[in-house]
Amino acid sequence: MDRRRMTAIGVLVAAAGLTAAVTLPSFAGEEPRRAAPTADGVAPEVLDALGRDLSLTRDQAVRRLRTERWAAGTVTTLRTELGAAYGGSWLAADGATLNVAVTDAPGAARVKAAGAVPKRVARGVAELDAVKTRLDRAGAGAGPDIAGWYVDVATNSVVVVARPGAEAAGRRFAAAGGTGAVRVRTADEAPRPLFDVRGGDAFFINNAGRCSVGFSVVGGFVTAGHCGQPGDRTTGSNRVAQGTFSASSFPGDDWAVVEVNGDWTPQGVVNDFNGGTVPVNGSTEAPVGASICRSGSTTGTRCGVVQAKNATVNYPEGTVTGLTRTDVCAEPGDSGGAWLSGDQAQGVTSGGSGDCTRGGVTFFQPVNEILQRNNLTLVTAGGQPEPAEPPAGGGETVPPASAPPAEPPAGDAECTGQVNRSGRIAAGRTQVQPDGRFFRVAGGAQEACVAAPDGARVVLELQRFTGGAFRTVARADNADGPVRLTADTPAGAYRYRVVGLAGSGEYTLAFSAR
């Protein structure tokens, strides 16, 4: 199929604002715009869609999302701590229990201590990924009877999906994995890119094909790779010149980046196709078993659960690897649209099988991979994005630590510094300080402290702007008591990220430089 002739309209997602450099101790400029309050920080439209598609009451949906936020933070920590013993993780069908696979007894004890349920398995997830990689290399010979293959952590195996009557072909292809870790299942799936569209917010490629905007990034947006190639020009749904494809990958991957011109302002929201928008407040990856919602112009907002990660799909146009598999339905025209877990960006629609009348399977390209591979910054609704380059100058540098410290808020005397900022943290949520912006220092030692509520697990990251993006240069967390971080840094633009792993409540960040 000629990718330049396809039509696909999906969710129009954009994001706004330029981050102004802030000076210390004075922070000039407008306060960042805040998203409208919602139930437990989640838009009502998301809760309604979860209720419809997962048969949940609003309270049940809120409780499930709280558990999923905790699970996302817990999995991030356990994966690092367990190392090679980590075998993957998934939420139970009701979303209430986090299961974590481990290959040894010490790992099982660590999982149990973190509040999750350990599952002893024979293979770590790295071994499963290696098996799948061997299948990926053999993918050119899979043939049309093989719909795809994916890592299934719940069964500690790699699954090859064969079409009915093609089980023998599936077993022959599975042998390319080289171990007993591969199993074959039969399903009537025929994934294809979702090209055709019918209305809704859209962008046009070379005044011909149409596709959906995925998520806004600083300077543009991301979408599906089958929508266009580098150099293709885009116009908005109003037919006003919009931008140019700067990067694209399909098949192999299914992502693309469009750089917009000055007439367009990205906003950190997703069109809910019900007269409103849903905020995007980050991109923390949801675990297998988590609820997830997709927005697209053909079928609107639809929800389900994450079934597997690291899935390979054998499209007619070629094989695409590294996708996430879901049980959410989709139809032609939903291509390129946005996937959200609560208020966290997950990916852009690639393709699927079935429809929203009888159900189906849909795959998405993870958004964090797109951001990392293209050095992009996601635009969010709850705070301004950092600029492509910090503004020159920037005013005063942070005062030396020998200067009298600012008066800390009552009850937080154990954390003091030249600058104090406060906020509310919860498991799986991230905040950028100061005030969603950045500051400059002349070089030397930086010190920071976070006073968090009792029982809360918090990670504090110091990030420096380098190579076109903010990158972590120092990190600290807490087992009990405040988080303390000290780093010797060169002159430059910096910011702090406060990441919640467990618990919730108000925190105070105090920092200074020598």
Side-chain angles (χ1 to χ4, degrees):
M1 182 179 294
D2 184 351
R3 286 191 280 155
R4 294 174 180 266
R5 297 185 59 190
M6 58 34 188
T7 57
I9 302 177
V11 177
L12 177 62
V13 186
L18 292 178
T19 303
V22 297
T23 59
L24 300 176
S26 175
F27 291 80
E30 295 183 358
E31 288 295 314
R33 294 188 299 166
R34 304 294 179 187
T38 55
D40 202 45
V42 178
E45 295 84 357
V46 172
L47 297 176
D48 291 343
L50 283 171
R52 180 195 65 209
D53 292 345
L54 297 184
S55 301
L56 302 174
T57 66
R58 178 161 288 203
D59 286 344
Q60 289 171 332
V62 169
R63 286 196 297 271
R64 178 165 184 145
L65 289 171
R66 286 174 181 164
T67 300
E68 290 169 0
R69 288 174 184 165
W70 165 80
T74 300
V75 167
T76 298
T77 301
L78 287 175
R79 182 163 194 155
T80 299
E81 294 178 349
L82 296 173
Y86 176 73
S89 56
W90 65 96
L91 285 166
D94 61 1
T97 303
L98 173 63
N99 301 294
V100 179
V102 292
T103 61
D104 57 31
R110 177 66 192 93
V111 169
K112 189 173 182 179
V117 177
K119 300 289 185 179
R120 290 292 298 273
V121 295
R123 309 172 187 89
V125 74
E127 182 180 347
L128 295 176
D129 286 343
V131 172
K132 181 182 170 294
T133 297
R134 289 194 288 273
L135 292 176
D136 289 345
R137 290 170 181 163
D145 288 331
I146 307 300
W149 48 98
Y150 59 91
V151 172
D152 184 11
V153 293
T155 61
N156 198 228
S157 66
V158 177
V159 177
V160 171
V161 181
R163 298 191 176 98
E167 293 81 2
R171 288 191 292 271
R172 287 193 298 272
F173 179 70
T179 74
V182 184
R183 66 187 182 92
V184 178
R185 61 179 288 263
T186 303
D188 188 13
E189 298 177 8
R192 80 276 184 204
L194 301 171
F195 290 148
D196 299 331
V197 295
R198 299 175 183 174
D201 292 316
F203 71 95
F204 295 82
I205 305 96
N206 297 329
N207 291 316
R210 295 183 290 176
C211 262
S212 309
V213 175
F215 290 99
S216 290
V217 296
V218 172
F221 59 86
V222 296
T223 187
H226 62 258
C227 289
Q229 299 175 339
D232 286 348
R233 297 190 176 277
T234 70
T235 54
S237 57
N238 55 3
R239 293 293 186 173
V240 173
Q242 179 190 65
T244 305
F245 276 82
S246 61
S248 177
S249 180
F250 179 83
D253 302 297
D254 197 1
W255 56 257
V257 182
V258 174
E259 293 182 358
V260 298
N261 60 40
D263 292 336
W264 295 82
T265 302
Q267 301 285 345
V269 296
V270 172
N271 188 335
D272 67 359
F273 292 93
N274 192 32
T277 59
V278 176
V280 178
N281 287 320
S283 59
T284 300
E285 185 178 340
V288 172
S291 63
I292 194 164
C293 297
R294 173 200 55 73
S295 291
S297 63
T298 301
T299 57
T301 301
R302 301 284 177 161
C303 299
V305 298
V306 176
Q307 292 184 321
K309 299 181 182 182
N310 194 16
T312 294
V313 176
N314 199 23
Y315 290 130
E317 294 80 3
T319 300
V320 177
T321 66
L323 299 178
T324 296
R325 178 188 174 99
T326 76
D327 65 354
V328 183
C329 71
E331 296 180 6
D334 292 324
S335 221
W339 291 75
L340 286 169
S341 180
D343 60 357
Q344 299 296 299
Q346 301 297 311
V348 300
T349 301
S350 174
S353 179
D355 55 42
C356 289
T357 299
R358 56 189 176 89
V361 172
T362 307
F363 301 85
F364 67 81
Q365 171 78 51
V367 71
N368 282 333
E369 179 184 353
I370 308 174
L371 300 177
Q372 292 163 7
R373 290 183 62 174
N374 294 279
N375 198 23
L376 301 172
T377 300
L378 182 71
V379 176
T380 61
Q384 296 174 326
E386 57 267 21
E389 293 290 343
E396 302 174 24
T397 58
V398 63
S402 57
E407 191 67 27
D412 289 326
E414 57 188 338
C415 284
T416 60
Q418 270 56 53
V419 178
N420 286 279
R421 286 293 183 269
S422 61
R424 184 173 180 81
I425 198 67
R429 305 295 295 273
T430 299
Q431 290 186 351
V432 172
Q433 294 285 11
D435 303 323
R437 295 173 283 174
F438 63 91
F439 60 92
R440 295 182 181 277
V441 297
Q446 296 196 53
E447 298 178 349
C449 177
V450 172
D454 290 342
R457 287 286 308 279
V458 175
V459 171
L460 178 63
E461 297 176 341
L462 175 63
Q463 297 187 320
R464 178 173 183 254
F465 193 92
T466 179
F470 279 96
R471 305 181 188 279
T472 300
V473 296
R475 186 178 187 275
D477 61 12
N478 66 326
D480 186 24
V483 183
R484 300 188 185 277
L485 183 151
T486 301
D488 190 14
T489 61
Y494 292 84
R495 71 181 189 181
Y496 284 100
R497 279 174 28 110
V498 183
V499 183
L501 298 181
S504 63
E506 299 293 329
Y507 73 88
T508 298
L509 166 69
F511 61 97
S512 58
R514 296 186 183 277

